[in-house]
Amino acid sequence: DGQFALSGSEDGTVRQWDLATGAEIRSLQGHTRPVWSVVYSPDGQFALSGSEDGTVRQWDLATGAEIRSLQGHTRPVWSVVYSPDGQFALSGSEDGTVRQWDLTTGTLRAIHYLLPDAWAMCDAQHRLLNQGGKLWKYATVRTADEPAGRAG
């Protein structure tokens, strides 16, 4: 909504800022290494953060509480993104994977093996793009040019 911003920090914190005043609203603590990626949920009530500690964390922005820690990457997490409906998340890591997480249960849904230093973005058309230039259709969890039944 343009009123607030998130930042990740070298000290492992995620901070939420009031853009009108420049004041820090809250500091979210849980990561043990620098935070490289932060993103708001589509409804603005939650946030995801990805860290050099290899974890993705989901935060409740109303309370500042950590909802869950998503673990499975073996190297730093460089990017995190919500699906447009906020039900799922993707995390891209230096371990060469993009992982898809179910945020209603906190479980790993799929692993896409890509290139080292993996990252991913999601656009308004529910498409994902990774650093190798592969385009993924989020709803089907496969590359746009792959047959059904095989995920990355």
Side-chain angles (χ1 to χ4, degrees):
D1 63 7
Q3 296 178 338
F4 307 104
L6 293 171
S7 66
S9 180
E10 285 276 331
D11 68 5
T13 61
V14 174
R15 296 176 194 273
Q16 186 178 30
W17 304 91
D18 183 313
L19 293 177
T21 65
E24 180 182 308
I25 297 169
R26 67 180 32 95
S27 177
L28 310 172
Q29 299 180 4
H31 287 292
T32 60
R33 305 279 306 186
V35 175
W36 296 117
S37 182
V38 293
V39 64
Y40 278 102
S41 63
D43 64 10
Q45 295 180 28
F46 305 99
L48 289 174
S49 57
S51 170
E52 194 172 297
D53 66 12
T55 66
V56 175
R57 296 179 192 262
Q58 186 180 25
W59 307 93
D60 181 327
L61 294 176
T63 65
E66 181 181 309
I67 297 170
R68 63 181 41 90
S69 176
L70 305 171
Q71 300 181 22
H73 285 292
T74 59
R75 304 283 298 163
V77 175
W78 296 121
S79 66
V80 291
V81 64
Y82 274 96
S83 62
D85 63 7
Q87 300 282 321
F88 301 98
L90 288 179
S91 55
S93 170
E94 188 177 299
D95 67 10
T97 66
V98 170
R99 294 172 188 255
Q100 184 183 36
W101 306 95
D102 182 326
L103 295 176
T104 59
T105 63
T107 57
L108 180 64
R109 192 163 174 226
I111 301 175
H112 307 285
Y113 294 91
L114 305 172
L115 302 171
D117 300 326
W119 55 263
M121 301 182 311
C122 187
D123 68 12
Q125 287 78 42
H126 299 217
R127 296 175 302 177
L128 308 172
L129 180 67
N130 69 40
Q131 89 285 6
K134 246 186 187 181
L135 188 64
W136 299 74
K137 182 72 175 159
Y138 200 91
T140 58
V141 196
R142 64 177 189 268
T143 59
D145 58 353
E146 271 187 318
R150 179 172 173 251

